[in-house]
Amino acid sequence: MDRPVYQKLKTEQKALEINLNESIYGTFSEIGAGQEVARNFFKVGAAAGTIAKTMSAYDKTYSDAIYGAEVTGRYVCESRLYKMLDHEWTLLEERLRPIKSDCNFFVFADTVTTINYTKTVKGQGWLGVRFQLVPGAAPSEIVIHSKMLDNDTKLQQDAIGILGVNIMYAVFYYKDDLKKLVVSLMDGLEDRISIDLIRFNGPGFEDVDSTIVSLYMVAFGLTDVTIFDEEGLSIHASEFLYKKSLMVVRGNFKPPTLVTMDVIKSSFKQFKKGDDVNQAKSHLITEVTLDYLRFKDGKINLEDFKIRAELLRSLGYKVLISNQNNHQDLINYMEDYKIEHLGLVVGVRELEEIIIDKYENNQDGRLLVSLGELFNRNITIFVYPALNRETGALLTADNINVPEGMKYLYKHLLESNQIVEVEGYNESLLSIYPSDVLNSIINGETDWEEKVPKKVRQLIKSHGYFSKLN
C-alpha cells in the first residue's frame, strides 16, 4: 500500500481556487476558536462568490438558542457539529435555493477548543462539511475529529484555519481519489495536528469503506490510533469512552480462533468484576497494530487487513487500529478521555517479553520510572496462560522467566493486583495455536474448521480467505 503522490498546494492557493469556482456557494459556522477557516477565504479575495454567510456564536446561551442545548453540557462534541450542519443547511436551502439554483451548496462547521493558559486543555475539535456535487442533489458530508499539537493558542487557531481549507478543497477536488483525499488533509500541518476520525456520508461516498479509511489514517501518519465499530463505521473515543472503563485485547487475529474467543470472554468477565469497574459502563475493543499487517518488505497488506476487520466485526467487536507497538503509547492516548479503568489483555509470552525488554533497556536507573508509567493505579494487566509446545507445561504469570533484578518488583506487581492471571479460562483450548490454524487453511486442509467460531468458518470458506495470503 503506497502513499499517494500529488502536487501539494499552499493554503492560499486552495482557498482562492475554491473562491474562483462559481459553482461553489455556502455558509461557514464556527464556534469556540473563532472564524479561522472563513478568514482564509476572505484573505485571498473573491470570497463574495463563495460565502453566503459566516456565523460565530461565542456565548453558550446564544449558541444554545440557535442550535439547541446539549444533554451532556459539552459544546466541543460530535452531536454539536451535526446540529450546526443541520441548522445551517436548512437555512441555506430555504433562503437561497430559489435564487441560486445553479450552485452546489455547502455548509462548513466546526466546534473547537484551543489550549488553555494552564495547559490542562490540549486543544481539539470537530469539523465537517455538508456539500453538493450537483445543484439541488442530496448532500454528502465529511466529518473529522482533530487534536491540536501546537503549544500555543494562536498557532492552534492557525492550524484549524489551514485544516478547514484542506477539508473544503479535498471534498471538491479529491473526492474520487480516497487516498489523496485523506492524506491531503494534513497538507501544511505535519506535526501540528492529528486526525483520529474521518466519517463519510451521502451519495458522494457510497462506495467508501470506512475500515479502509481508518487504516489509511494510521498507515499514512494522520493519527496513532483510530477506531471503527461493529458496522465498520468510524467512531471516536471521546464519544463513547469518556469516564468509562475499557478493556483492550491486542492480537494477530489471523484468524480469530476458539482460544481467541476464550481470551476475550474470560478476561472481560473478570475485568467487569473489578471493585472499581461499573459493568454498565464497560467496553471491550480488539486492537490490531500495523506490525501485524506488514509484508516482509514493510508495506501494509491491505487485503489481509480487510479480512481481519470483517472477521472481527462479524464477531461483534469494535476494532482499534494503532501503530503503537508498546502499550505505554496506547495508555498515553487513552489518558485524554479520563477512562476510569483500563484493562490490557496480554498472552503470558508477551508479558515475559515486556518484562525482559523493560529490564534490558532500563539499566541506567530508569526501571522504576518505566514500570511506573506502565502500571499506574487505574491500569490492570490481565495475563492469559499458554502451553509450552515442547513440554506441555502450563505457563502463567506466576511462573514466567523474570530477570533476577526484576523479581522483587515483579512480585510486588502481582501482589498489588496490577498484574493478574485470567481466571475461568478453558484449558482444553490452549492446544489451539493460531499459526497452525492459518497454515492448515493455506494448505487446503480441513482440521482448522473445528478450531474457529462458526461465523469465522463460514466467512473463510465462502470467500476463500487466507488461502492466498502469506
Side-chain angles (χ1 to χ4, degrees):
M1 189 176 74
D2 296 318
R3 189 182 185 91
V5 178
Y6 63 98
Q7 182 181 4
K8 294 184 181 181
L9 301 177
K10 292 183 178 179
T11 305
E12 294 82 1
Q13 292 174 290
K14 290 183 177 182
L16 183 58
E17 189 170 343
I18 290 172
N19 279 353
L20 294 176
N21 189 330
E22 295 180 355
S23 69
I24 301 174
Y25 194 74
T27 296
F28 288 89
S29 179
E30 304 179 71
I31 62 176
Q35 297 281 294
E36 310 306 326
V37 179
R39 184 176 292 121
N40 279 297
F41 289 92
F42 283 125
K43 284 193 305 183
V44 297
T50 301
I51 301 176
K53 180 186 77 171
T54 64
M55 176 72 185
S56 181
Y58 280 104
D59 187 275
K60 292 180 180 180
T61 301
Y62 197 78
S63 181
D64 286 346
I66 299 171
Y67 301 119
E70 297 298 322
V71 175
T72 61
R74 298 161 62 197
Y75 287 82
V76 182
C77 60
E78 184 177 9
S79 60
R80 192 58 165 193
L81 179 68
Y82 280 110
K83 287 179 180 178
M84 295 168 69
L85 291 171
D86 290 343
H87 179 84
E88 299 300 339
W89 186 265
T90 299
L91 292 181
L92 195 61
E93 285 284 353
E94 288 178 351
R95 295 175 179 177
L96 295 181
R97 178 54 65 194
I99 60 174
K100 290 283 186 178
S101 59
D102 58 343
C103 287
N104 293 316
F105 283 169
F106 75 85
V107 169
F108 177 92
D110 66 49
T111 173
V112 177
T113 181
T114 52
I115 193 168
N116 63 357
Y117 179 77
T118 59
K119 314 298 185 185
T120 55
V121 174
K122 297 179 182 179
Q124 53 97 17
W126 289 87
L127 306 89
V129 182
R130 184 170 294 172
F131 64 100
Q132 293 171 321
L133 295 170
V134 177
S140 301
E141 67 185 24
I142 177 175
V143 167
I144 80 166
H145 179 268
S146 175
K147 299 169 74 173
M148 277 85 83
L149 306 181
D150 288 318
N151 204 32
D152 175 84
T153 300
K154 290 184 178 179
L155 289 175
Q156 288 192 357
Q157 290 173 337
D158 176 67
I160 285 296
I162 296 172
L163 178 57
V165 175
N166 286 347
I167 296 171
M168 285 286 293
Y169 194 87
V171 298
F172 284 111
Y173 293 97
Y174 295 149
K175 184 193 73 65
D176 295 324
D177 188 330
L178 188 61
K179 279 187 186 180
K180 189 183 294 185
L181 187 158
V182 170
V183 173
S184 72
L185 296 176
M186 295 290 284
D187 287 354
L189 292 169
E190 288 76 9
D191 300 320
R192 297 190 62 187
I193 67 166
S194 67
I195 297 173
D196 51 7
L197 177 141
I198 305 176
R199 182 177 297 132
F200 297 98
N201 288 304
F205 300 113
E206 285 181 339
D207 297 327
V208 170
D209 183 338
S210 294
T211 65
I212 299 302
V213 175
S214 295
L215 180 62
Y216 287 166
M217 290 163 61
V218 178
F220 296 141
L222 279 70
T223 182
D224 290 329
V225 172
T226 190
I227 305 169
F228 56 86
D229 66 14
E230 300 88 338
E231 302 301 320
L233 301 176
S234 297
I235 55 176
H236 194 262
S238 66
E239 299 301 297
F240 78 104
L241 287 179
Y242 187 71
K243 293 187 177 180
K244 306 285 180 63
S245 294
L246 173 69
M247 169 165 276
V248 180
V249 184
R250 176 179 290 183
N252 189 299
F253 307 114
K254 188 177 179 178
T257 65
L258 293 180
V259 73
T260 307
M261 301 300 292
D262 192 55
V263 170
I264 294 172
K265 291 180 179 179
S266 57
S267 57
F268 193 44
K269 181 179 180 180
Q270 185 174 345
F271 174 72
K272 291 189 293 184
K273 290 181 178 178
D275 293 337
D276 53 353
V277 175
N278 183 335
Q279 292 194 32
K281 295 183 178 181
S282 299
H283 295 270
L284 181 143
I285 291 180
T286 56
E287 179 191 6
V288 178
T289 69
L290 291 190
D291 272 0
Y292 288 141
L293 301 170
R294 296 188 190 278
F295 287 114
K296 292 180 180 179
D297 63 3
K299 291 184 178 180
I300 302 297
N301 189 333
L302 183 59
E303 292 304 315
D304 191 4
F305 167 75
K306 289 180 181 179
I307 292 171
R308 290 193 240 188
E310 182 178 1
L311 295 179
L312 287 170
R313 291 195 298 108
S314 74
L315 295 171
Y317 297 124
K318 295 178 177 66
V319 179
L320 181 151
I321 310 172
S322 78
N323 64 0
Q324 300 170 332
N325 297 323
N326 65 73
H327 288 91
Q328 185 56 51
D329 291 334
L330 177 63
I331 292 168
N332 292 340
Y333 180 86
M334 290 299 176
E335 280 183 352
D336 288 345
Y337 309 112
K338 299 182 180 179
I339 290 175
E340 293 184 349
H341 196 93
L342 179 64
L344 302 175
V345 184
V346 301
V348 65
R349 294 187 182 88
E350 184 182 0
L351 175 65
E352 193 171 63
E353 292 174 1
I354 292 172
I355 296 297
I356 292 174
D357 176 72
K358 290 290 185 185
Y359 181 73
E360 292 180 348
N361 292 298
N362 290 277
Q363 293 295 305
D364 58 356
R366 293 184 295 114
L367 181 60
L368 285 174
V369 174
S370 177
L371 282 176
E373 291 173 346
L374 181 59
F375 296 99
N376 65 43
R377 62 182 178 83
N378 70 331
I379 295 175
T380 303
I381 306 293
F382 292 82
V383 186
Y384 192 85
L387 291 179
N388 186 311
R389 297 194 72 159
E390 296 179 358
T391 66
L394 185 65
L395 302 176
T396 70
D398 196 47
N399 63 14
I400 63 171
N401 180 32
V402 178
E404 189 64 35
M406 283 273 300
K407 287 185 175 178
Y408 180 80
L409 182 55
Y410 182 71
K411 181 181 179 182
H412 167 73
L413 294 172
L414 286 174
E415 292 177 347
S416 62
N417 290 323
Q418 290 178 286
I419 297 177
V420 299
E421 295 186 3
V422 172
E423 302 170 350
Y425 62 89
N426 188 339
E427 189 169 353
S428 67
L429 298 176
L430 297 182
S431 58
I432 297 176
Y433 298 95
S435 58
D436 292 348
V437 173
L438 179 62
N439 288 332
S440 293
I441 296 171
I442 293 173
N443 294 330
E445 300 166 358
T446 60
D447 60 331
W448 62 270
E449 295 183 19
E450 62 185 20
K451 299 176 182 178
V452 301
K454 182 179 179 181
K455 289 182 180 179
V456 171
R457 179 171 65 250
Q458 291 172 338
L459 286 169
I460 291 176
K461 293 181 69 174
S462 62
H463 297 287
Y465 286 159
F466 298 120
S467 59
K468 296 179 181 180
L469 297 177
N470 53 42

